[in-house]
Amino acid sequence: MSMGLMVAAMKLRVGNPLRKLVLIKLADNASDVGECWPSYQHIADQCEISKRSVMNHITALCEAGLLRKEIRKGGPKGNSSNVYFLTLDGGAPPAPGVVQQIHQGSAAGSSPGESPALGGSAAVAPRISNSLEPVMEPVIEPITPQATAKVVTGQVVPFVQQQPRVEIPADMPGPKDQACKTFKVWANYAMAYRKRYNAWPVWNAKTGKQMALLVDRLGADVAHHVAAHFLKTSDAAVLRKCHSLNELLANAESYHTQWVTGQRVNGTTARQMERTEANVSAAEQAAQMVLAKRQAGERNEYL
């Protein structure tokens, strides 16, 4: 990073805020002699704009005399890449209000049938604006959610733990501390339990140990999903026990598989699967008998 080029870039007026952001990013990557070679995609990711916008702004900066682009060949796979040289003192900054004839979706100086510089995609017909106002290009990329902790110079800001997506009722039994190992899995189980039975499940020392064992067996990232999915089970044996934690813990891995696959196995589906497997087994045995008789030269009574 060249601090001198960064300061010079900040002082320049290029007629477009996003174009200036691209210029500052190039200065951030440049050496003291103004040389850098970041990719279009890297600049786009850092500036939070589209790759096409980066190509257009770089072309405009080259035309303004603030940047020189050279094509470097001979990569490991014969690919080409761009090398940039910042020439911030090599050209006068554009006058205020002058619109560069470079818009998103076209490369500078290219006609509808020509291709843009290396690193981009096929160009479309350039659009020329007659407005005397600077072009304000919209940022259309999806916005990534920011962390809840903010960075402030000279001040340490503690990270605020993310709140639950569902408000936890004050009368819910069990742990209330979100840092507790069993809070998340218990909250999901208890909320799903109350939704099904219109009553809270019992919380006691045994329940706490069972929840801790469930987290140990399935992992903290999925145990709460499996606990909530368990309450959707409509198997008669589970219903008779009102979705007891004993049943969930005894067959935790089975319910984990049902949650992953989205399938619910009860007595009826188990019998259906058993009959299907028996039919397949009988068909395989019949096929083997036919093949054995055919190899022995005997008559096949099935044909």
Side-chain angles (χ1 to χ4, degrees):
M1 178 179 68
S2 173
M3 291 300 300
L5 291 174
M6 288 281 290
V7 174
M10 288 293 296
K11 293 181 179 180
L12 285 174
R13 300 184 64 183
V14 299
N16 185 293
L18 294 182
R19 189 168 304 150
K20 187 169 185 176
L21 181 61
V22 172
L23 179 63
I24 293 173
K25 174 57 187 172
L26 290 171
D28 178 57
N29 282 83
S31 63
D32 290 335
V33 296
E35 181 183 9
C36 60
W37 48 88
S39 66
Y40 287 135
Q41 191 59 54
H42 175 73
I43 300 173
D45 293 340
Q46 294 294 309
C47 297
E48 298 185 15
I49 59 178
S50 67
K51 180 178 176 181
R52 171 58 60 182
S53 294
V54 173
M55 296 168 60
N56 293 340
H57 291 313
I58 286 178
T59 304
L61 292 171
C62 290
E63 291 184 347
L66 302 175
L67 186 68
R68 188 175 80 253
K69 181 177 68 176
E70 295 181 4
I71 300 176
R72 179 175 59 180
K73 298 183 179 180
K77 297 183 179 181
N79 298 329
S80 300
S81 59
N82 296 329
V83 181
Y84 306 101
F85 298 89
L86 275 73
T87 55
L88 302 186
D89 57 348
V98 175
V99 178
Q100 301 292 329
Q101 296 180 359
I102 311 299
H103 296 268
Q104 186 171 354
S106 64
S110 61
S111 62
E114 295 176 344
S115 298
L118 292 177
S121 58
V124 297
R127 295 176 291 168
I128 301 176
S129 172
N130 295 322
S131 171
L132 295 181
E133 296 296 328
V135 178
M136 302 294 291
E137 299 187 17
V139 179
I140 58 175
E141 287 78 8
I143 299 175
T144 303
Q146 301 297 319
T148 55
K150 298 182 179 179
V151 178
V152 180
T153 305
Q155 180 181 357
V156 177
V157 179
F159 179 78
V160 180
Q161 187 173 8
Q162 186 178 7
Q163 298 300 317
R165 291 178 296 176
V166 179
E167 183 178 357
I168 303 299
D171 62 336
M172 185 188 78
K176 299 296 191 299
D177 183 8
Q178 296 183 36
C180 178
K181 174 182 178 180
T182 59
F183 170 80
K184 196 171 185 179
V185 62
W186 168 254
N188 279 267
Y189 173 81
M191 294 287 286
Y193 190 97
R194 190 182 72 159
K195 182 178 180 181
R196 178 146 198 165
Y197 293 104
N198 199 27
W200 290 115
V202 175
W203 172 268
N204 51 34
K206 179 182 177 182
T207 302
K209 293 179 181 179
Q210 288 176 318
M211 284 295 173
L213 287 173
L214 186 66
V215 173
D216 292 337
R217 287 173 61 175
L218 301 182
D221 294 334
V222 300
H224 59 286
H225 291 295
V226 177
H229 183 80
F230 171 65
L231 266 296
K232 299 178 183 179
T233 303
S234 298
D235 184 50
V238 177
L239 288 172
R240 283 194 296 269
K241 299 177 182 179
C242 295
H243 290 81
S244 167
L245 279 176
N246 295 327
E247 173 67 18
L248 172 59
L249 192 61
N251 300 282
E253 290 76 14
S254 173
Y255 290 114
H256 175 269
T257 302
Q258 295 181 40
W259 168 70
V260 171
T261 60
Q263 298 179 351
R264 302 176 192 173
V265 180
N266 52 32
T268 302
T269 56
R271 288 190 293 271
Q272 291 175 346
M273 294 170 64
E274 184 179 6
R275 285 196 297 267
T276 302
E277 183 66 23
N279 293 337
V280 171
S281 178
E284 291 177 350
Q285 292 178 3
Q288 291 176 359
M289 291 175 57
V290 171
L291 181 60
K293 289 186 176 182
R294 180 181 298 176
Q295 292 176 348
E298 299 179 12
R299 182 182 177 183
N300 183 2
E301 63 271 20
Y302 295 100
L303 300 179

